[in-house]
Amino acid sequence: MPINVHRKLSAGLVFVAVLMLSGCGGKEPHPYKPTPYTLEIPQYFPTQLNIPDDNPMTVEGINLGRYLFYDGRLSGRTDYDSLMSCGSCHLQANSFEPGIHHPVFSGGRTFGLSGAYTPHYALPLINLVWNANGYLWNGMIRQDNPDESRRTLEDLVWMGVVAPHEMSGDTNRTKALIQQTPGYPALFGLAFGSQTVTMKNISRAIAQFVRTMVSANSRFDRYMRGELQLSAQELNGFVLFTTEEGADCFHCHGSSGNPLFTTNLFYNNGKDTEFNDPRDRYAITGEETDRGAYKATTLRNINLMGPYMHDGRFATLDEVIDFYSHHVKVSEYVNPLMHHVNEGGVQLTPSEKSDLKAFILSLQDEEFLTNPDFAPPLLFPDGKTYQEVAGRFYQQP
């Protein structure tokens, strides 16, 4: 059955609480115990969740995080053209990627308020609550990073605020602006017991919201639960996907035994023969075998995530399938799991390519793409509309 991610506290109750807390005469309210939020783990999914002990999920934290995720004032600015939020790049309709047809980022290539382009194309925000192997294409944000400020999903938030290729801002300016925005201090009080806005709690709230972004109701999920039958073409594609003599996809992207459809690990998949990207996996580990290696992305909703690869070199899913079929390149660093590299790829026939694509499309989760719990709020704590706080990145919800 579909995962239930509905909030346990209605918007009406939230605003009643905001009004009550706002009348405390500048004093901190009495200690408030937020409502625990239990993430319902879908059938067949891993039971181990990546939730830090110091940031348990709560109804109030998630509610606050949703506002902040979509509020362009997170950039620390108020001018229409300088508003930027997480939601500016991560669009729900594209599985929280920009997508190749983004109205501002031509071809899906994102840039920051400074005008600097991001080093790599964006990754989707989907099922990250199960990712314990590091974030970004090279896994720089990881639990064992010697730099304690670059270990968790929470850390990606403040990094997004200050990075020149993202919001190009200043955390002190962001804190001050959110602090003076009516309604927000009270929501921080509800979520974290203090109306003082801190970057730590901004990051915690947004991370809580992102961890609710669970996709588990595609046609393939429903097939696995016995709720529908896949077509013959989709089933043929499934066999190709899960066999070494077929398309040989499952080593890096998993199969029915791994419903995330990614290992969240890093591979040199034979795209190149020369490696000089200062942000590949080798830059993190220093291991020669990691030259030219990048994260294997999830294949859920993959048809909406173009352009593909860390550098966006493929515009369509068909181009990706064709690459793995005929254009894989031999190098000393190509991953050993690329079993067909010496033949240039898995050499799928046109009909096999169609079957494989049909199976991959069965991983598209329409419920995830339209779930109102993940969508921009229509009104923000100070009564402004989404269009007003999104600025030039506005997308009709």
Side-chain angles (χ1 to χ4, degrees):
M1 60 188 298
I3 185 170
N4 178 12
V5 294
H6 292 291
R7 308 290 176 257
K8 299 176 182 177
L9 189 66
S10 72
L13 288 176
V14 168
F15 280 102
V16 169
V18 167
L19 290 173
M20 292 175 63
L21 290 173
S22 297
C24 292
K27 298 179 181 179
E28 295 293 348
H30 294 296
Y32 179 82
K33 187 176 181 180
T35 311
Y37 179 92
T38 302
L39 190 71
E40 183 179 329
I41 299 176
Q43 192 173 0
Y44 306 120
F45 273 60
T47 57
Q48 186 67 40
L49 303 177
N50 185 8
I51 302 175
D53 292 338
D54 67 348
N55 191 25
M57 296 175 69
T58 68
V59 173
E60 294 80 4
I62 293 165
N63 181 70
L64 172 60
R66 181 183 174 210
Y67 285 125
L68 293 168
F69 182 92
Y70 285 108
D71 197 329
R73 293 167 292 190
L74 197 65
S75 68
R77 304 172 178 89
T78 57
D79 294 337
Y80 181 86
D81 287 341
S82 296
L83 298 173
M84 192 176 198
S85 69
C86 310
S88 298
C89 300
H90 297 282
L91 306 184
Q92 182 181 11
N94 293 330
S95 204
F96 292 99
E97 266 203 10
I100 200 166
H101 299 299
H102 193 287
V104 176
F105 303 120
S106 178
R109 180 74 186 279
T110 53
F111 54 83
L113 291 177
S114 71
Y117 282 96
T118 49
H120 295 151
Y121 280 68
L123 283 166
L125 305 180
I126 176 173
N127 292 342
L128 294 188
V129 73
W130 286 284
N131 179 10
N133 293 327
Y135 303 100
L136 305 180
W137 280 100
N138 60 9
M140 178 182 72
I141 308 302
R142 63 195 191 281
Q143 293 176 347
D144 62 350
N145 194 323
D147 183 346
E148 295 183 1
S149 68
R150 288 172 168 80
R151 289 184 173 177
T152 66
L153 186 59
E154 286 79 355
D155 295 327
L156 280 175
V157 178
W158 71 260
M159 292 174 66
V161 170
V162 303
H165 53 263
E166 296 189 46
M167 298 179 204
S168 191
D170 175 88
T171 56
N172 289 323
R173 189 169 59 192
T174 293
K175 288 186 296 183
L177 180 56
I178 300 301
Q179 183 76 64
Q180 69 187 36
T181 301
Y184 267 124
L187 289 177
F188 276 86
L190 287 170
F192 299 111
S194 172
Q195 294 195 44
T196 299
V197 175
T198 66
M199 198 64 216
K200 183 175 184 178
N201 285 340
I202 288 175
S203 298
R204 283 174 165 175
I206 292 176
Q208 286 188 42
F209 173 61
V210 170
R211 290 189 178 104
T212 69
M213 295 177 181
V214 171
S215 172
N217 201 35
S218 66
R219 279 178 50 78
F220 180 77
D221 294 308
R222 283 174 278 158
Y223 164 73
M224 291 298 296
R225 298 194 297 259
E227 297 171 7
L228 58 76
Q229 179 61 47
L230 293 181
S231 69
Q233 187 179 35
E234 289 168 331
L235 289 172
N236 288 340
F238 184 29
V239 172
L240 289 166
F241 186 92
T242 54
T243 55
E244 289 186 358
E245 62 273 18
D248 199 19
C249 308
F250 67 100
H251 289 297
C252 303
H253 291 289
S255 61
S256 57
N258 178 1
L260 302 177
F261 284 91
T262 174
T263 60
N264 283 312
L265 295 175
F266 309 87
Y267 307 90
N268 181 319
N269 60 352
K271 296 192 298 293
D272 299 298
T273 56
E274 296 183 3
F275 309 101
N276 50 25
D277 182 0
R279 293 175 180 260
D280 64 1
R281 183 63 174 168
Y282 169 75
I284 303 303
T285 67
E287 298 287 339
E288 286 291 321
T289 53
D290 283 331
R291 288 190 182 274
Y294 301 92
K295 180 181 287 292
T297 61
T298 181
L299 298 184
R300 287 180 170 273
N301 302 321
I302 193 68
N303 194 48
L304 302 171
M305 296 181 190
Y308 301 97
M309 306 298 172
H310 73 284
D311 54 5
R313 68 180 64 189
F314 301 126
T316 67
L317 183 57
D318 292 299
E319 290 180 24
V320 175
I321 293 173
D322 190 64
F323 159 72
Y324 283 115
S325 293
H326 310 295
H327 304 293
V328 178
K329 298 175 182 178
V330 177
S331 78
E332 60 183 310
Y333 303 114
V334 70
N335 194 281
L337 292 174
M338 302 296 294
H339 295 123
H340 301 271
V341 62
N342 290 326
E343 294 79 47
V346 292
Q347 302 299 320
L348 298 181
T349 66
S351 62
E352 288 173 329
K353 291 178 184 178
S354 295
D355 291 349
L356 178 62
K357 183 178 180 181
F359 167 69
I360 293 173
L361 292 181
S362 79
L363 303 178
Q364 185 155 315
D365 182 353
E366 297 297 333
E367 181 183 70
F368 176 81
L369 301 172
T370 58
N371 189 330
D373 286 343
F374 306 150
L378 296 180
L379 291 177
F380 284 74
D382 59 344
K384 289 186 179 295
T385 66
Y386 174 49
Q387 183 174 9
E388 289 176 301
V389 304
R392 62 179 170 142
F393 299 102
Y394 172 69
Q395 287 281 289
Q396 182 69 41

